[in-house]
Amino acid sequence: TQITDFSPLYCDDAGNNPVTQFDKNDVETAGLVKFDFLGLRTLTIIQWAIDMIQESTGELIDITQIPLEDPDSFKLLQRAESTAVFQLESRGMKDLIKRLRPDSFEDIIALVALFRPGPLQSGMVDNFIDRKHGREAISYPDASYQHECLQVILEPTYGIILYQEQVMQIAQEMAGYSLGGADLLRRAMGKKKPEEMQKQRSVFAEGSKNNNIDPDLAMKIFDLVEKFAGYGFNKSHSAAYALVSYQTLWLKTHYPAYFMAAVMSADMDNTDKIVTLADECQRMGITICPPDLNSGKYKFTVNAQQEIIYGIGAIKGVGEGPIEAIIQARTEQGAFSDLFDFCAKIDIKKVNKRVLEKLVLAGAMDNLGPHRAAIMATLQDALDAATQHARAESFGQGDMFGLLTEAEDAHQAFANVPMWSEKVWLDGEKETLGLYLTGHPINQYLSELTHYTDCRIKDIKPTGKGNQVAIAGLVLAVRVMTNKKGRRWGIVTLDDKSGRVDVRLFPDLYDTYEPLLQSDKILYVKGEVSFDEFSAGNTMTVRSLLDITDAREQFVRALSISIEYNQQLNRKIDEASRILEHYRGGTCPLEFNVQHDDLEVALTSNAEWYVTPSDQLLHELRQCMGEQNVKLMFS
């Protein structure tokens, strides 16, 4: 007998990979067995984590032998700290976890089966949770009609018919079904075929009667089984998923850095996911270090201090080929001592200047020079030196009396340029990594924010109705919802490095402030704070909102510029005037402080020279006049 006796086949052009030309239903009708094969990336993540642990510590973990009732793992799960845990990381699932408070592996199996539209909408999830926590009496299956033979079957799920296997067991116990017959009942109930169900109803009634079970009770239980069979989940499937969920939960609990590094490696091409995972690492207290051309690898790794080293492969705009060339050069010729040594060792045909610039912006070359600005400014010289050295070696002039080496060394000096401002280097990280890794954009505003905010985000407390608090933060995310009247409202997540808070803008305010609700924007918000049961944290209802420039205009008394009285006075005033000319028309007065010996004279501008105190104006003035000579003055 051949498979073509049952189904026509199709093969690809090479004659490989035969595929049936019947759909899944016709294949089964024809008498063939259908298997579903599912590839799980999570299995690869688990293996990567285990490999890193063994490489780093020498410890060999058999993930199939870990205890399934680990108390620490369940404590972490009950706190709903399940980001990156297979099947248990979505917002809705975390809500279910908080309500269920799972404390056994059986509960995790149930979680996977319960978190589906059918059970959630039917009300059985609420029944399940209430029964687990003693708020509802447990019955098998219903207080009005139950049978003692069903207790053993339904006890693990508190009397709730949750799994398809339970449907089959009930049919076997009550009505004497064979295993095959019970499977036919399960299919019929799942597919809701009226004719088949009428036939099964008669079989169930007759079987129950033969087992001396009251016919009315049997039919009521049949009706209940039929109702929940449509929601029933295959327990063997749920248990397999739950096992993988538990294994990832266990790794996150006991080897957090290695597990998170493996998860981040699996999502290297998904910037949004990397940002979420980096946030989770921060919450867990795990430091993520910038990519490092000397110690880093293509994937995310873990160092001796249990810090995660950012994967070089996750840098945008670099590519797999250049990274392989860099790691090969490091492996064969040893660590890179500085930028010039790096350029001399790598194959510069495979790693061009554009790639090197991305590496600098990402922080991957921080250990190869004094600072990022100097490294960036010296790139071309280093590449030229490497090219000259390679050309000389090809002509056999590598070390003629040592003269060539000395000549090269004389030119191997880093450009003498000032360090980048924090904003510039953070913008570079955002461009190449998708997130701010070594700092926070709000840092440059902290000193001024103390004058017009009430506290940092971590310190806010519920205010009570009618009372308001003022805070400022970086916009991380904006979620837009629609109410029953069809009007939009929003939830904005703000971060000020000390903490995060969700702020709500109801329809009128959302319409007003929508243009300001952009990622990476610094906002000043004022509103009422209340405790949110769902997130177990504070949330704010916004009453007013400003971007950072408008907030300055509202709260700054003057922009002060200090100038020393000397021969450069007129030139400095002219330079400042040229800059200020572009920012006139604002509401912020200018105040010039001319210093001469111990005497200081303050001059205030008239209204036609009032300016808008934007970040760009402050940056240009400070470059021209000096960092300490340009200040925002508050009342």
Side-chain angles (χ1 to χ4, degrees):
T1 301
Q2 298 181 358
I3 196 168
T4 49
D5 294 337
F6 298 90
S7 169
L9 298 183
Y10 165 81
C11 289
D12 60 21
D13 293 339
N16 300 319
N17 304 314
V19 179
T20 176
Q21 290 183 279
F22 284 159
D23 67 18
K24 63 184 180 64
N25 295 327
D26 288 342
V27 161
E28 290 184 326
T29 303
L32 296 175
V33 179
K34 174 175 65 72
F35 293 93
D36 291 335
F37 292 95
L38 180 66
L40 282 184
R41 183 182 58 172
T42 305
L43 299 178
T44 302
I45 291 172
I46 291 172
Q47 190 59 54
W48 282 350
I50 291 172
D51 291 344
M52 276 192 284
I53 293 166
Q54 183 178 9
E55 183 180 347
S56 179
T57 68
E59 185 177 356
L60 180 59
I61 294 173
D62 184 349
I63 199 67
T64 65
Q65 298 300 312
I66 62 174
L68 293 180
E69 305 299 333
D70 177 58
D72 291 337
S73 297
F74 281 101
K75 286 177 184 175
L76 185 143
L77 182 59
Q78 288 174 353
R79 296 193 300 269
E81 296 174 4
S82 54
T83 298
V85 175
F86 178 64
Q87 289 283 301
L88 306 182
E89 62 177 330
S90 71
R91 190 179 182 93
M93 176 60 88
K94 287 180 179 179
D95 180 37
L96 179 56
I97 289 169
K98 289 176 183 178
R99 294 166 58 204
L100 181 64
R101 300 197 301 277
D103 54 14
S104 67
F105 182 67
E106 193 73 36
D107 281 350
I108 299 180
I109 299 175
L111 273 173
V112 176
L114 287 168
F115 192 67
R116 293 176 300 113
L120 289 170
Q121 293 167 12
S122 70
M124 64 187 291
V125 172
D126 296 324
N127 296 135
F128 189 97
I129 293 170
D130 287 342
R131 289 186 179 193
K132 173 178 171 61
H133 296 300
R135 296 188 293 268
E136 179 182 313
I138 297 176
S139 50
Y140 306 99
D142 186 274
S144 303
Y145 37 90
Q146 52 185 328
H147 196 280
E148 59 184 11
C149 73
L150 302 185
Q151 180 170 350
V152 174
I153 299 170
L154 299 178
E155 199 163 33
T157 54
Y158 311 103
I160 301 294
I161 302 170
L162 180 59
Y163 304 119
Q164 292 178 358
E165 287 87 343
Q166 290 174 316
V167 171
M168 296 170 64
Q169 287 176 297
I170 290 171
Q172 288 177 279
E173 284 294 322
M174 290 193 69
Y177 274 66
S178 67
L179 193 59
D183 188 47
L184 291 175
L185 172 66
R186 174 192 65 82
R187 292 191 189 192
M189 286 183 166
K191 295 177 181 178
K192 295 181 171 63
K193 294 182 177 179
E195 298 149 0
E196 183 64 26
M197 283 310 304
Q198 190 58 43
K199 178 182 174 183
Q200 291 292 342
R201 179 179 289 274
S202 301
V203 174
F204 195 93
E206 186 66 26
S208 299
K209 181 180 178 181
N210 293 337
N211 281 343
N212 298 316
I213 295 175
D214 178 68
D216 289 339
L217 175 63
M219 286 301 93
K220 287 178 180 178
I221 291 177
F222 183 89
D223 290 340
L224 195 67
V225 170
E226 183 180 6
K227 174 185 174 183
F228 285 106
Y231 307 132
F233 197 64
N234 186 283
K235 186 177 182 182
S236 59
H237 187 116
S238 188
Y241 266 24
L243 181 60
V244 177
S245 299
Y246 181 81
Q247 290 170 348
T248 57
L249 174 68
W250 186 87
L251 284 169
K252 185 177 182 182
T253 302
H254 296 284
Y255 299 92
Y258 297 102
F259 174 69
M260 294 304 293
V263 176
M264 295 176 85
S265 295
D267 280 302
M268 289 174 67
D269 296 329
N270 187 339
T271 301
D272 291 341
K273 194 66 184 288
I274 289 292
V275 171
T276 299
L277 295 170
D279 288 343
E280 178 67 359
C281 287
Q282 182 181 19
R283 187 200 61 76
M284 295 166 67
I286 300 172
T287 299
I288 301 180
C289 300
D292 188 334
L293 295 185
N294 268 332
S295 63
K297 296 182 180 179
Y298 188 84
K299 294 187 293 188
F300 290 76
T301 53
V302 179
N303 64 17
Q305 291 74 43
Q306 297 297 292
E307 299 167 328
I308 294 177
I309 307 299
Y310 209 96
I312 304 173
I315 302 173
K316 296 179 183 179
V318 174
E320 192 169 346
I323 296 171
E324 289 178 351
I326 291 169
I327 293 176
Q328 181 181 353
R330 185 181 74 193
T331 303
E332 295 175 354
Q333 303 179 61
F336 310 117
S337 59
D338 62 17
L339 173 64
F340 294 94
D341 181 53
F342 169 80
C343 289
K345 286 178 177 176
I346 64 170
D347 185 345
I348 55 178
K349 294 178 182 177
K350 296 181 179 178
V351 188
N352 59 38
K353 185 179 178 183
R354 182 189 61 80
V355 168
L356 295 181
E357 288 172 345
K358 299 293 185 184
L359 293 172
V360 175
L361 292 173
M365 303 178 79
D366 283 356
N367 295 326
L368 303 184
H371 51 78
R372 294 180 194 179
I375 296 171
M376 185 69 85
T378 311
L379 275 181
Q380 191 58 56
D381 288 345
L383 288 170
D384 291 344
T387 302
Q388 181 181 346
H389 179 80
R391 186 181 298 116
E393 281 197 332
S394 68
F395 285 108
Q397 298 173 349
D399 192 18
M400 187 180 295
F401 307 108
L403 296 178
L404 185 59
T405 302
E406 291 175 8
E408 288 176 350
D409 288 344
H411 289 90
Q412 293 187 359
F414 285 91
N416 184 19
V417 295
M419 292 179 64
W420 285 337
S421 67
E422 184 178 30
K423 183 181 187 308
V424 172
W425 95 60
L426 287 178
D427 286 346
E429 290 179 358
K430 180 77 173 179
E431 175 190 335
T432 55
L433 304 178
L435 71 161
Y436 304 112
L437 189 61
T438 60
H440 196 289
I442 207 167
N443 287 346
Q444 64 177 308
Y445 304 102
L446 290 179
S447 60
E448 66 177 272
L449 288 175
T450 59
H451 293 281
Y452 51 91
T453 59
D454 295 320
C455 61
R456 301 292 293 276
I457 288 176
K458 71 178 178 64
D459 297 320
I460 62 173
K461 295 178 175 58
T463 58
K465 192 169 180 62
N467 298 316
Q468 297 182 26
V469 65
I471 59 171
L474 177 79
V475 176
L476 290 184
V478 180
R479 301 197 303 277
V480 182
M481 274 73 68
T482 304
N483 65 16
K484 293 179 180 178
K485 296 181 179 179
R487 298 194 62 191
R488 294 180 304 159
W489 64 285
I491 297 178
V492 179
T493 303
L494 293 181
D495 181 295
D496 75 344
K497 193 178 179 182
S498 77
R500 291 181 182 175
V501 67
D502 284 343
V503 301
R504 297 176 297 189
L505 291 95
F506 291 122
D508 288 343
L509 286 178
Y510 177 82
D511 292 342
T512 301
Y513 295 123
E514 182 185 6
L516 298 179
L517 307 181
Q518 302 172 20
S519 293
D520 300 325
K521 204 171 187 67
I522 304 288
L523 297 180
Y524 164 89
V525 295
K526 196 171 183 179
E528 299 165 358
V529 178
S530 58
F531 184 78
D532 180 53
E533 293 287 347
F534 176 79
S535 64
N538 291 317
T539 186
M540 175 184 279
T541 300
V542 175
R543 301 304 179 196
S544 61
L545 182 151
L546 298 169
D547 71 9
I548 192 68
T549 302
D550 290 337
R552 281 192 187 128
E553 287 209 274
Q554 181 169 322
F555 295 105
V556 169
R557 175 178 61 79
L559 173 58
S560 172
I561 302 173
S562 297
I563 305 176
E564 188 174 348
Y565 186 88
N566 55 28
Q567 293 180 341
Q568 304 296 320
L569 176 63
N570 290 334
R571 183 180 64 81
K572 285 287 186 183
I573 291 177
D574 288 343
E575 289 178 359
S577 297
R578 279 196 296 271
I579 294 171
L580 293 165
E581 177 70 37
H582 299 290
Y583 299 91
R584 290 169 61 180
T587 60
C588 180
L590 293 174
E591 188 176 274
F592 288 91
N593 293 288
V594 182
Q595 301 167 338
H596 180 58
D597 295 334
D598 295 332
L599 182 64
E600 183 173 307
V601 178
L603 305 172
T604 304
S605 68
N606 55 31
E608 66 181 60
W609 275 93
Y610 285 5
V611 296
T612 299
S614 66
D615 287 345
Q616 186 61 31
L617 169 60
L618 295 176
H619 174 69
E620 291 179 26
L621 281 176
R622 284 167 177 162
Q623 278 199 322
C624 171
M625 313 300 291
E627 186 76 23
Q628 299 303 315
N629 293 325
V630 179
K631 296 180 180 178
L632 296 170
M633 307 302 292
F634 297 87
S635 300

